[in-house]
Amino acid sequence: MIISKAPTLTEGQLAEVEAVVGEFGCKIQVIYGAHRNIYAIIGDERSETMVNRLLGLDYIDRVDRMESVYKLMDVRSDLSHHRIRVGGVELGKEPLFIAGHCTIDPHNTAAFLETAAAVKEAGAQVIRGGVWKPRTSPHSYQGSAKTMETLIEARARTGLPIVAEVMDEAQLAVALEAKVDMLQIGTRNALNYTLLADIGRRTASSGIPVLLKRSRHMGPVDEFISAAEYIVAHGNPNVIFCPRGTMPELDGFRNHPDESITPLLKDKSWAPVVVDPSHSVGRAKYVPACALAAIAYGADGLVVECHVNPISGIGDDPKQAITPDVLKKLIRNVRILWDLRRG
Ligand code: PEP
Ligand code: MN
């Protein structure tokens, strides 16, 4: 849909516009109004180059696309009936709970194994544990590939699947070699299109679910969905959206809580949504309320930082991990809310 600056295009301008869209296999249908005309683009109007060429004409004000730029993630795509399973849970059928440390401490691996058992007992179906850590300061602990062994040990002891964040191709190779059950792309790499495409390619045959966090710097919902499109377009349709708070942070919260984005995502895309309240609010005491709000907004599950003794943890754990007792109560309340939501 093309809106011109003047109420109508001149004959010469219309011919120019028709020539541009014609190069992309489209036509113009003029809709005559009382005061202004609208120029509808007929055909596949998703080409960004076509839109940019139109916007480059100084007599064009706006070009609004009726179709979304993402072809595969669109709620109207053939994938709309695709279902994703993690840890014995089909997303959407019952709430998914992923829980565990922000960071696995290489000097206290016993704590991680203890937490893994405790989150299982609390009702979580997937264990998280940061092996490599994206840290704002280069002087903070950066993680260690060695702790992948601890994560694998936790899986062996509990029988639960494991998720680990990867930030580059080398880490991806280690995680795939370890046969992790789920990959996490963190907020810092949610806009790293090369990595997203690579993950799509490298997981195309296995179809390992990928938890894609929302970048702190993402604005429009379409930006998030388009990032997921990179993974799906390169071969792996098992992508899960993970809102986790964005900029600017609210006074007292670590980020700007964004669990309310879920219904908007669901209107536009078919992929499940698993919200991370821990990084969103950044304080253990606010996590349960944010988690429940996320479920009320329609989330399919939660990923929560949890530690048997948060104060002895590293990374984010001392400030934002909840204890297994709190997790257990949260899971109970989420299930109640889930049933209310369905009723
Ligand atoms: C994490 O999950 O510990 C993490 C670093 O997440 P995010 O990328 O959302 O900050
Ligand atoms: Mn963390």
Side-chain angles (χ1 to χ4, degrees), residues 101-103 128 133 213 254 279 305 315-317 320:
H101 289 192
C102 167
T103 307
R128 63 153 288 155
K133 294 308 300 180
K213 298 253 191 138
R254 182 171 175 181
H279 292 86
E305 289 186 345
D316 295 328
D317 285 324
Q320 71 189 27

Side-chain angles (χ1 to χ4, degrees), residues 86-135:
V86 189
V89 174
E90 181 180 315
L91 280 138
K93 281 216 163 147
E94 60 167 305
L96 179 74
F97 301 100
I98 304 171
H101 289 192
C102 167
T103 307
I104 304 173
D105 182 350
H107 303 296
N108 188 6
T109 54
F112 184 71
L113 297 172
E114 217 186 303
T115 295
V119 301
K120 178 180 182 181
E121 205 277 318
Q125 305 101 330
V126 181
I127 295 171
R128 63 153 288 155
V131 173
W132 302 280
K133 294 308 300 180
R135 305 304 299 279

Side-chain angles (χ1 to χ4, degrees), residues 51-275:
V51 172
N52 287 347
R53 292 262 304 273
L54 293 168
L55 289 172
L57 302 171
D58 61 6
Y59 49 86
I60 299 297
D61 183 33
R62 262 178 29 218
V63 179
D64 294 344
R65 285 185 277 206
M66 306 299 285
E67 289 186 72
S68 59
V69 283
Y70 32 87
K71 303 178 185 179
L72 301 165
M73 296 305 294
D74 195 293
V75 75
R76 293 162 296 188
S77 90
D78 291 346
L79 280 170
S80 63
H81 299 295
H82 181 62
R83 293 289 170 263
I84 299 176
R85 292 186 71 84
V86 189
V89 174
E90 181 180 315
L91 280 138
K93 281 216 163 147
E94 60 167 305
L96 179 74
F97 301 100
I98 304 171
H101 289 192
C102 167
T103 307
I104 304 173
D105 182 350
H107 303 296
N108 188 6
T109 54
F112 184 71
L113 297 172
E114 217 186 303
T115 295
V119 301
K120 178 180 182 181
E121 205 277 318
Q125 305 101 330
V126 181
I127 295 171
R128 63 153 288 155
V131 173
W132 302 280
K133 294 308 300 180
R135 305 304 299 279
T136 306
S137 165
H139 307 295
S140 303
Y141 174 67
Q142 304 285 308
S144 155
K146 267 184 69 60
T147 55
M148 179 59 85
E149 289 164 22
T150 314
L151 192 56
I152 294 170
E153 171 80 20
R155 170 171 60 188
R157 289 195 190 187
T158 59
L160 294 186
I162 50 176
V163 54
E165 174 174 356
V166 293
M167 293 181 281
D168 60 33
E169 288 181 33
Q171 294 172 0
L172 175 61
V174 174
L176 293 179
E177 173 78 25
K179 295 199 168 20
V180 298
D181 305 280
M182 188 181 201
L183 293 166
Q184 174 177 312
I185 308 299
T187 196
R188 289 150 179 96
N189 279 301
L191 291 167
N192 182 346
Y193 300 127
T194 317
L195 181 66
L196 298 178
D198 198 46
I199 287 190
R201 266 190 299 271
R202 303 277 300 276
T203 59
S205 54
S206 63
I208 304 172
V210 179
L211 186 69
L212 176 66
K213 298 253 191 138
R214 185 163 179 225
S215 166
R216 291 178 86 203
H217 306 288
M218 274 177 185
V221 180
D222 284 358
E223 212 180 341
F224 195 10
I225 301 176
S226 296
E229 178 92 1
Y230 269 90
I231 299 170
V232 179
H234 286 87
N236 183 356
N238 295 320
V239 178
I240 299 167
F241 292 117
C242 180
R244 47 79 69 206
T246 55
M247 294 278 278
E249 68 271 25
L250 282 183
D251 280 359
F253 287 166
R254 182 171 175 181
N255 285 291
H256 193 109
D258 60 349
E259 66 282 349
S260 58
I261 196 181
T262 301
L264 304 179
L265 285 168
K266 287 189 173 281
D267 271 352
K268 292 181 163 224
S269 181
W270 49 265
V273 180
V274 169
V275 169

